[in-house]
Amino acid sequence: MTTLDWRKDRIRVKTLLEADREQGEVFVQGWLRTVRRSKDVVFLALSDGSCHAILQVVVPEDSAAFDSVKQLGTGACVGIRGEMVASPGTGQRWEVQAREVTIYGLTDEEYPLQKKRHTFEFLRSITHLRPRTNAFGAVFRVRSRMSHAIHIFFQDRGFVYVHTPIITTNDCEGAGEMFRVSTLDPENPPRVDGRISWHDDFFGSKAGLTVSGQLQGELFATALTDIYTFGPTFRAENSNTSRHASEFWMIEPEMAFADLAADCQLAEDFLRFLVGYALEHCGEDLGFFNQFVSPGLLDRLESVVATDFERMTYTEAVEKLQKSNKSFDFPVEWGCDLQSEHERYLTENVIGGPLFVTDYPEGIKAFYMRNNDDGKTVAAMDLLVPKVGELIGGSQREERLDVLQHKMKAFDLDPKSLDWYLDTRRWGNCPHAGFGLGFERFLMYLTGMENVRDVIPFPRTPGNAMF
Ligand code: 4AD
Ligand code: MG
C-alpha cells in the first residue's frame, strides 16, 4: 500500500469526533500528545491539528499493536487503524480501539514538548515546534479561518482584491522605515561624487519593501470604486514592543465616493463581521483561549458584536486624558501623538470597548490625509480596542491637488517623486477614504494572546529573523 492510499481512506480527527454515529473501521494519522500506560492497556491521545480536541486511542493488551506502542512517547507520529466505538470514559464521545499501529516517526526524551504546559516565552525559543502545542494549533487555525473571512466580507460587498507590490520605491507613511532592497555590493557600492549611486542599483532607484499598499490601492479605487489589499507589510522601526513586528499582514480597503464617516462605518462593520464569524466558526478554539489565556474573552467578543462603537474627536480625547488625573509617562497636550498608555486608558477605562478617535492634528498624521476646514486637523481615524490599543488607522484622503501638493512640501516630500499618485488628483478625481487593519493586532484582540510574536507563524522583530 502506498502512502497516497493511506491518505485516501484516512479520516480527520475533527470529522471523526463530530460524527453522529459510529463509522466502523477507521484510519487516523497524527501525533501523540500523551501516552498513558496502565497494566493491560495503553491510552494514546492523538492530534492531527484539525481541531483542538484529541482523539483517545485505546490499545488493549490482546491487540497485535500492543508491543509496538510500548516504544512510543509524546510527539511520535503514527497511523492507527481500528474500530471507532462509543467511549465508555468521560470527556469524549468516541474513541478508537486500535488494531494496527504504523509508526512513522519516533521521539526521544530530548523532545522539548514533553511537559503539558510551557510558557509562551519558552515556546518562542522553539518556534519551529510550537505549532504542535494546543495553544499554537488554536492560534493558527483561527488565523487561517480569519484570512478566509476577510475575503468573504469584502467579496460579498463587491470589493475587488488588488495585489499591491511588495517591492516599491515609495515610502507611503513617510516615516522612512523601509527595508532596503538592493543588489549593490554592500562592501563596494558604485559611487558618484562620494555618494552611493542608486541609479546603478537593480531597479534604477532606491527600492525597499512596502510599508503599505495604500497609495497603489488608491489608484485602483479611482477605477474599480471599492478595492482591498491583504498582504505582507514591512517596517524597519526599531520598536521592540509586544505589538510591533517588522513583518506583519495588513488589510487595506479603499473606497471611492466615501468620506471619513463612511470609512468608520466600514471599519466597524468589518470588525463586527470578523468577530461574529469567529464566534460562529472558531468556537472550540475561542473556548480554549477563554479558559486558558484570557478569562472573559467570549463575553467581550459577544459584546463587540452587539454594541455600536463609540466615537470621539482627538480634541475630546485630549480633554478626557487631561481631566483623568492619571499620571502618564508621557504628558498629554493638544498636538501630541497619543501614546499606547493614552490609547489604552481611553478604550479600557473611559469607554470599556472599541473607540474611534477622529480628527487628529495635521502635524502628527501622514501627508495624504484630508485637511479639515478648521485649518488644524485632518479627517483621520484610529480604532482603539482594549488590551491592544490601535487596531486600525485610516482616513479620508486629500483629493484637492493644490492642497495635497502644498501638504507634501510641508512634509518635505518631493511632489515629483509621487507624480503618478498626483495623477489621480489631476484626472477624474473623487473623494475617497480607506483604512488599514493590522492582522496580527486583530488576532491578538480576538484570541487574547498578548504578544504579536505569538500570532504570526514566524515572527520577525529587531534582532530576530530565524527560519
Ligand atoms: O496606522 P498605519 O501605519 O496606517 C497605514 O499604513 C495606512 N496606510 C493605512 C490606510 O489608511 N490604508 O497602520 C495600519 C495598522 C495599524 O493600525 C496597526 O494595526 C498595524 O497596521 N500596524 C502594525 N502591526 C504590527 N506591527 C507593526 N509594526 C505595525 N504597524 C502598523
Ligand atoms: Mg497608525
Side-chain angles (χ1 to χ4, degrees):
M1 200 187 273
T2 69
T3 323
L4 284 176
D5 286 335
W6 291 351
R7 278 188 68 95
K8 219 184 319 173
D9 71 344
R10 174 196 52 178
I11 182 169
R12 285 192 196 282
V13 168
K14 180 179 189 334
T15 316
L16 191 156
L17 292 177
E18 285 174 355
D20 50 15
R21 57 191 164 77
E22 286 182 22
Q23 308 284 304
E25 189 185 87
V26 292
F27 180 54
V28 286
Q29 291 168 308
W31 294 265
L32 299 180
R33 284 295 162 77
T34 55
V35 178
R36 246 181 339 113
R37 295 177 179 84
S38 66
K39 229 172 43 215
D40 48 5
V41 64
V42 175
F43 293 100
L44 308 175
L46 183 93
S47 164
D48 64 3
S50 57
C51 60
H52 177 73
I54 51 95
L55 173 68
Q56 172 157 289
V57 177
V58 185
V59 191
E61 196 177 21
D62 56 7
S63 148
F66 190 75
D67 272 348
S68 61
V69 299
K70 280 192 188 147
Q71 45 176 326
L72 293 176
T74 297
C77 183
V78 297
I80 286 157
R81 198 173 290 283
E83 193 72 14
M84 170 181 169
V85 296
S87 175
T90 52
Q92 66 274 319
R93 183 166 174 209
W94 304 113
E95 64 181 34
V96 168
Q97 301 274 344
R99 201 173 303 140
E100 197 186 310
V101 175
T102 310
I103 299 173
Y104 305 121
L106 291 171
T107 50
D108 56 30
E109 57 286 349
E110 310 250 303
Y111 182 61
L113 294 173
Q114 309 275 355
K115 260 196 339 186
K116 266 220 133 149
R117 296 194 79 165
H118 299 275
T119 64
F120 292 138
E121 286 81 359
F122 169 74
L123 292 172
R124 240 172 266 146
S125 74
I126 48 164
T127 315
H128 57 303
L129 294 173
R130 67 180 184 171
R132 297 185 184 189
T133 61
N134 281 338
F136 286 96
V139 165
F140 296 122
R141 272 190 302 273
V142 169
R143 186 176 169 114
S144 165
R145 267 290 175 137
M146 288 297 105
S147 303
H148 183 56
I150 285 158
H151 290 295
I152 296 176
F153 177 84
F154 286 115
Q155 296 287 333
D156 281 358
R157 284 161 185 75
F159 282 61
V160 176
Y161 181 30
V162 179
H163 295 121
T164 48
I166 287 175
I167 299 175
T168 175
T169 52
N170 102 270
D171 172 4
C172 165
E173 294 303 300
E177 292 164 344
M178 275 176 110
F179 287 101
R180 181 90 35 243
V181 173
S182 170
T183 53
L184 294 182
D185 177 0
E187 307 281 332
N188 185 23
R191 291 179 191 273
V192 174
D193 298 335
R195 302 178 63 168
I196 294 179
S197 169
W198 297 108
H199 182 72
D200 292 318
D201 202 353
F202 191 91
F203 295 106
S205 64
K206 235 175 169 177
L209 298 177
T210 184
V211 296
S212 161
Q214 178 197 320
L215 302 192
Q216 293 93 343
E218 284 185 52
L219 305 179
F220 273 71
T222 53
L224 304 174
T225 304
D226 293 325
I227 66 97
Y228 68 107
T229 71
F230 178 19
T233 310
F234 308 87
R235 296 205 182 165
E237 53 196 332
N238 203 354
S239 35
N240 232 325
T241 79
S242 59
R243 306 175 315 129
H244 289 87
S246 314
E247 175 179 309
F248 62 99
W249 284 60
M250 186 154 55
I251 299 103
E252 293 183 279
E254 190 72 29
M255 299 178 287
F257 319 114
D259 59 9
L260 186 67
D263 203 31
C264 291
Q265 193 59 53
L266 181 74
E268 180 168 346
D269 292 347
F270 182 41
L271 190 60
R272 224 190 262 121
F273 172 85
L274 292 181
V275 171
Y277 190 93
L279 288 167
E280 191 179 337
H281 297 278
C282 307
E284 188 193 28
D285 289 324
L286 292 184
F288 165 80
F289 295 120
N290 188 58
Q291 194 178 348
F292 293 106
V293 175
S294 183
L297 177 75
L298 287 176
D299 289 342
R300 290 199 300 277
L301 295 177
E302 300 275 4
S303 85
V304 168
V305 178
T307 349
D308 288 343
F309 296 2
E310 298 278 340
R311 286 158 171 69
M312 181 188 294
T313 64
Y314 168 89
T315 304
E316 288 165 340
V318 167
E319 281 165 17
K320 290 251 180 342
L321 290 166
Q322 285 172 337
K323 282 203 202 116
S324 72
N325 288 329
K326 198 173 165 340
S327 72
F328 294 109
D329 292 341
F330 294 86
V332 184
E333 58 179 60
W334 201 95
C336 74
D337 208 354
L338 296 184
Q339 302 295 323
S340 123
E341 56 172 347
H342 308 136
E343 294 176 340
R344 293 194 50 176
Y345 179 81
L346 290 166
T347 173
E348 288 167 17
N349 300 68
V350 180
I351 301 296
L355 165 69
F356 284 108
V357 177
T358 63
D359 304 292
Y360 285 78
E362 180 182 4
I364 58 169
K365 287 290 184 186
F367 75 95
Y368 51 71
M369 299 188 177
R370 193 179 196 281
N371 279 10
N372 286 329
D373 293 340
D374 62 11
K376 293 191 300 195
T377 60
V378 287
M381 61 93 153
D382 275 3
L383 179 67
L384 313 179
V385 295
K387 289 179 181 283
V388 174
E390 181 191 334
L391 179 63
I392 287 179
S395 64
Q396 183 172 342
R397 316 309 185 187
E398 182 54 78
E399 84 282 12
R400 297 160 295 189
L401 180 63
D402 53 334
V403 183
L404 186 56
Q405 282 168 326
H406 188 75
K407 287 184 64 135
M408 288 173 79
K409 288 208 187 91
F411 279 79
D412 224 10
L413 288 166
D414 178 9
K416 274 208 206 76
S417 69
L418 285 174
D419 216 37
W420 52 271
Y421 179 66
L422 293 174
D423 276 352
T424 53
R425 275 59 170 176
R426 289 192 180 102
W427 302 306
N429 196 9
C430 69
H432 58 288
F435 64 80
L437 172 128
F439 191 39
E440 287 71 24
R441 298 252 179 109
F442 166 69
L443 291 172
M444 289 166 72
Y445 181 58
L446 185 67
T447 60
M449 297 292 283
E450 287 181 357
N451 197 308
V452 69
R453 295 165 182 77
D454 296 336
V455 291
I456 188 163
F458 300 100
R460 271 84 183 90
T461 48
N464 177 40
M466 236 205 288
F467 315 107

Tab-separated table of all heavy atoms in Angstrom, residues 398-409 422 425 429:
chain	number	residue	atom	x	y	z
A	398	GLU	N	-6.800	63.381	1.009
A	398	GLU	CA	-6.810	64.738	0.462
A	398	GLU	C	-6.925	64.642	-1.060
A	398	GLU	O	-6.002	64.186	-1.723
A	398	GLU	CB	-5.525	65.483	0.857
A	398	GLU	CG	-5.482	66.905	0.381
A	398	GLU	CD	-6.708	67.708	0.825
A	398	GLU	OE1	-6.771	68.133	2.001
A	398	GLU	OE2	-7.625	67.887	-0.021
A	399	GLU	N	-8.094	64.998	-1.591
A	399	GLU	CA	-8.271	64.825	-3.035
A	399	GLU	C	-7.989	66.100	-3.818
A	399	GLU	O	-7.870	66.075	-5.037
A	399	GLU	CB	-9.683	64.283	-3.340
A	399	GLU	CG	-10.803	65.315	-3.430
A	399	GLU	CD	-11.307	65.813	-2.079
A	399	GLU	OE1	-10.661	65.538	-1.047
A	399	GLU	OE2	-12.355	66.502	-2.061
A	400	ARG	N	-7.846	67.253	-3.111
A	400	ARG	CA	-7.622	68.516	-3.819
A	400	ARG	C	-6.146	68.648	-4.179
A	400	ARG	O	-5.293	68.697	-3.292
A	400	ARG	CB	-8.083	69.680	-2.936
A	400	ARG	CG	-9.583	69.630	-2.646
A	400	ARG	CD	-9.960	70.457	-1.429
A	400	ARG	NE	-9.388	69.939	-0.184
A	400	ARG	CZ	-9.704	70.390	1.036
A	400	ARG	NH1	-10.589	71.361	1.178
A	400	ARG	NH2	-9.133	69.873	2.104
A	401	LEU	N	-5.883	68.713	-5.474
A	401	LEU	CA	-4.497	68.685	-5.951
A	401	LEU	C	-3.628	69.759	-5.305
A	401	LEU	O	-2.537	69.471	-4.804
A	401	LEU	CB	-4.472	68.832	-7.482
A	401	LEU	CG	-3.081	68.829	-8.122
A	401	LEU	CD1	-2.366	67.500	-7.883
A	401	LEU	CD2	-3.174	69.108	-9.617
A	402	ASP	N	-4.124	71.006	-5.305
A	402	ASP	CA	-3.271	72.084	-4.790
A	402	ASP	C	-3.004	71.910	-3.294
A	402	ASP	O	-1.877	72.095	-2.820
A	402	ASP	CB	-3.898	73.456	-5.089
A	402	ASP	CG	-5.335	73.543	-4.590
A	402	ASP	OD1	-5.998	72.480	-4.490
A	402	ASP	OD2	-5.813	74.654	-4.279
A	403	VAL	N	-4.029	71.495	-2.549
A	403	VAL	CA	-3.825	71.296	-1.105
A	403	VAL	C	-2.821	70.161	-0.868
A	403	VAL	O	-1.918	70.260	-0.035
A	403	VAL	CB	-5.168	70.972	-0.395
A	403	VAL	CG1	-4.949	70.835	1.107
A	403	VAL	CG2	-6.220	72.026	-0.703
A	404	LEU	N	-2.978	69.091	-1.640
A	404	LEU	CA	-2.087	67.933	-1.464
A	404	LEU	C	-0.637	68.305	-1.784
A	404	LEU	O	0.290	67.940	-1.038
A	404	LEU	CB	-2.562	66.781	-2.360
A	404	LEU	CG	-1.836	65.446	-2.191
A	404	LEU	CD1	-1.886	64.956	-0.752
A	404	LEU	CD2	-2.440	64.379	-3.108
A	405	GLN	N	-0.448	69.051	-2.867
A	405	GLN	CA	0.915	69.464	-3.227
A	405	GLN	C	1.519	70.325	-2.114
A	405	GLN	O	2.679	70.166	-1.737
A	405	GLN	CB	0.908	70.235	-4.550
A	405	GLN	CG	0.787	69.303	-5.732
A	405	GLN	CD	0.490	70.041	-7.025
A	405	GLN	OE1	-0.209	71.058	-7.029
A	405	GLN	NE2	1.011	69.528	-8.128
A	406	HIS	N	0.680	71.199	-1.589
A	406	HIS	CA	1.124	72.058	-0.512
A	406	HIS	C	1.529	71.222	0.713
A	406	HIS	O	2.564	71.445	1.340
A	406	HIS	CB	-0.022	73.015	-0.163
A	406	HIS	CG	0.371	74.080	0.798
A	406	HIS	ND1	1.141	75.162	0.444
A	406	HIS	CD2	0.131	74.202	2.127
A	406	HIS	CE1	1.347	75.909	1.499
A	406	HIS	NE2	0.742	75.355	2.540
A	407	LYS	N	0.697	70.232	1.023
A	407	LYS	CA	0.975	69.381	2.178
A	407	LYS	C	2.270	68.595	1.978
A	407	LYS	O	3.058	68.421	2.906
A	407	LYS	CB	-0.180	68.390	2.407
A	407	LYS	CG	-1.429	69.051	2.963
A	407	LYS	CD	-2.522	68.022	3.265
A	407	LYS	CE	-2.118	67.050	4.342
A	407	LYS	NZ	-3.132	66.802	5.343
A	408	MET	N	2.474	68.104	0.767
A	408	MET	CA	3.687	67.320	0.516
A	408	MET	C	4.927	68.163	0.789
A	408	MET	O	5.895	67.693	1.386
A	408	MET	CB	3.691	66.791	-0.922
A	408	MET	CG	2.682	65.674	-1.105
A	408	MET	SD	2.505	65.143	-2.791
A	408	MET	CE	3.927	64.110	-2.958
A	409	LYS	N	4.871	69.407	0.356
A	409	LYS	CA	6.019	70.296	0.609
A	409	LYS	C	6.237	70.470	2.104
A	409	LYS	O	7.351	70.397	2.600
A	409	LYS	CB	5.797	71.647	-0.066
A	409	LYS	CG	5.920	71.562	-1.578
A	409	LYS	CD	6.373	72.882	-2.191
A	409	LYS	CE	6.318	72.785	-3.709
A	409	LYS	NZ	5.016	73.224	-4.252
A	422	LEU	N	-0.177	61.759	-7.850
A	422	LEU	CA	-0.886	63.021	-8.049
A	422	LEU	C	-1.762	62.988	-9.303
A	422	LEU	O	-2.741	63.737	-9.401
A	422	LEU	CB	0.123	64.175	-8.129
A	422	LEU	CG	0.868	64.438	-6.811
A	422	LEU	CD1	1.946	65.495	-7.004
A	422	LEU	CD2	-0.103	64.872	-5.713
A	425	ARG	N	-5.360	62.822	-8.774
A	425	ARG	CA	-5.975	64.099	-8.414
A	425	ARG	C	-6.099	65.005	-9.634
A	425	ARG	O	-6.908	65.938	-9.640
A	425	ARG	CB	-5.130	64.813	-7.356
A	425	ARG	CG	-5.385	64.415	-5.909
A	425	ARG	CD	-5.176	62.966	-5.618
A	425	ARG	NE	-5.199	62.688	-4.169
A	425	ARG	CZ	-5.119	61.495	-3.637
A	425	ARG	NH1	-5.011	60.418	-4.407
A	425	ARG	NH2	-5.153	61.336	-2.336
A	429	ASN	N	-10.764	62.898	-10.596
A	429	ASN	CA	-10.600	62.871	-9.151
A	429	ASN	C	-11.929	62.620	-8.425
A	429	ASN	O	-12.982	62.943	-8.938
A	429	ASN	CB	-10.049	64.241	-8.762
A	429	ASN	CG	-9.464	64.232	-7.388
A	429	ASN	OD1	-9.320	63.189	-6.772
A	429	ASN	ND2	-9.118	65.411	-6.913
